[in-house]
Amino acid sequence: MSIAKGWGKQRSVLVALFLRELKARFTSGQGGLFWTFFQPFFMVVIFLLMHLFMRGSSADAESAKHEAIFLTVGFVPFFLFRNLLQGSAGAFRANRNLFVYRHVKPIDTVIARVMVETFIYSIIVVIFIFLGLYFGVDIVPKNLVMLTLGYIWLLLFGAAWGILVAVGSTFYDSIGKIVGFLTFPLLFLSALFYSMESVYRKSPEVATMLLYNPLVHFMEMIHGNFLYDYDDRYVDYSYMALWTLPTLFVAIWLYILLERKIISAT
């Protein structure tokens, strides 16, 4: 009975934090609601135009549709991961006034942000689906189960790193700046607008280096299980697990170890 009661209180806390974070996200001065939903569409359009420009006269409607799907399938999970990482920097400090309440723990604020990002990008996925149907694009994934697993796995990976960033940025403000700086090159190094197959054909050495980036494996897994003319031959699931599980363990261990200091530091 006490476990059920405790879970009920925890659920109430998370729902309240979720609504608070959602309101803050949509009413922020940095674009608010419009930029939250427009950014992924904007990036897809920009890179699609670049693709069409490079293809020149050889570009046709079918290749444009295929490229649009490829870009969308990559950009949506990447921005989800990036926002989890950047949003976690300073998460504890931003909610420090809430820690006076006994049932609110610092890690709850990170969980709430994960819930908010999941909610927002679920809506974005639905919008993309309706746009695809409107333009007559075939958007039926090749393997829905593995595709869903890829998104959930990436969400867990992002949450693990988000907790680490939240803990670290509480004591060192520079960590948040470093994370913001690193996420930009990741945009070009994570196989968002190119396939590893194309990289291997041109330069196996470069492809080998790119595969050290765990995000490449996530993107290849998602692309390979959505698009029928792709596969996951370059995905190393053991490597993905090696980056996810130890990171999650260390993040939770550090948080538990430093929880009191986090509360006092904020």
Side-chain angles (χ1 to χ4, degrees):
M1 187 67 179
S2 59
I3 296 177
K5 186 177 180 180
W7 165 242
K9 290 181 179 179
Q10 184 67 22
R11 183 178 59 186
S12 299
V13 167
L14 291 176
V15 170
L17 288 173
F18 167 79
L19 295 175
R20 184 176 185 270
E21 289 289 337
L22 194 63
K23 180 181 178 182
R25 184 69 181 274
F26 287 167
T27 58
S28 66
Q30 300 177 346
L33 178 63
F34 175 76
W35 185 244
T36 295
F37 288 101
F38 180 72
Q39 188 179 33
F41 296 94
F42 177 76
M43 296 301 295
V44 168
V45 170
I46 290 296
F47 280 91
L48 179 60
L49 291 176
M50 290 173 58
H51 167 76
L52 295 177
F53 177 77
M54 289 186 291
R55 289 286 297 271
S57 58
S58 63
D60 54 28
E62 284 304 314
S63 68
K65 287 181 180 180
H66 184 276
E67 187 68 17
I69 295 173
F70 184 89
L71 291 171
T72 301
V73 171
F75 275 115
V76 170
F78 176 80
F79 278 114
L80 171 62
F81 172 79
R82 191 202 66 172
N83 288 350
L84 284 176
L85 216 57
Q86 292 183 341
S88 297
F92 295 157
R93 292 183 183 276
N95 294 280
R96 59 184 178 273
N97 295 333
L98 299 176
F99 301 155
V100 297
Y101 301 103
R102 185 166 57 91
H103 295 295
V104 180
K105 304 297 182 183
I107 199 171
D108 293 335
T109 61
V110 176
I111 296 173
R113 293 198 175 192
V114 172
M115 292 167 60
V116 167
E117 294 300 332
T118 303
F119 175 75
I120 289 173
Y121 278 89
S122 295
I123 295 176
I124 291 174
V125 168
V126 171
I127 293 173
F128 270 120
I129 289 173
F130 276 107
L131 285 174
L133 293 174
Y134 178 79
F135 288 106
V137 178
D138 184 10
I139 52 175
V140 178
K142 180 172 69 176
N143 190 329
L144 182 59
V145 174
M146 288 299 293
L147 178 66
T148 304
L149 176 62
Y151 272 90
I152 294 174
W153 196 340
L154 181 62
L155 192 65
L156 185 64
F157 178 68
W161 279 98
I163 295 171
L164 276 180
V165 170
V167 171
S169 61
T170 301
F171 304 101
Y172 304 99
D173 292 332
S174 58
I175 289 180
K177 297 177 182 178
I178 293 172
V179 168
F181 175 78
L182 290 178
T183 52
F184 180 74
L186 283 177
L187 182 69
F188 301 94
L189 300 174
S190 300
L192 299 182
F193 46 89
Y194 54 84
S195 67
M196 291 307 299
E197 178 66 28
S198 64
V199 178
Y200 255 109
R201 286 199 300 265
K202 296 179 180 179
S203 176
E205 295 79 10
V206 172
T208 300
M209 292 180 63
L210 286 174
L211 285 171
Y212 283 107
N213 176 6
L215 284 177
V216 170
H217 296 264
F218 282 104
M219 295 304 118
E220 284 289 295
M221 177 184 179
I222 291 171
H223 280 134
N225 287 288
F226 191 100
L227 301 167
Y228 284 84
D229 52 347
Y230 284 83
D231 56 45
D232 61 352
R233 73 180 72 177
Y234 298 108
V235 180
D236 188 337
Y237 291 99
S238 298
Y239 188 69
M240 291 165 63
L242 188 63
W243 271 91
T244 306
L245 297 179
T247 303
L248 184 62
F249 174 80
V250 171
I252 294 175
W253 175 74
L254 274 178
Y255 170 77
I256 294 173
L257 183 68
L258 299 172
E259 185 181 60
R260 291 181 181 274
K261 291 184 178 180
I262 290 170
I263 295 174
S264 61
T266 55

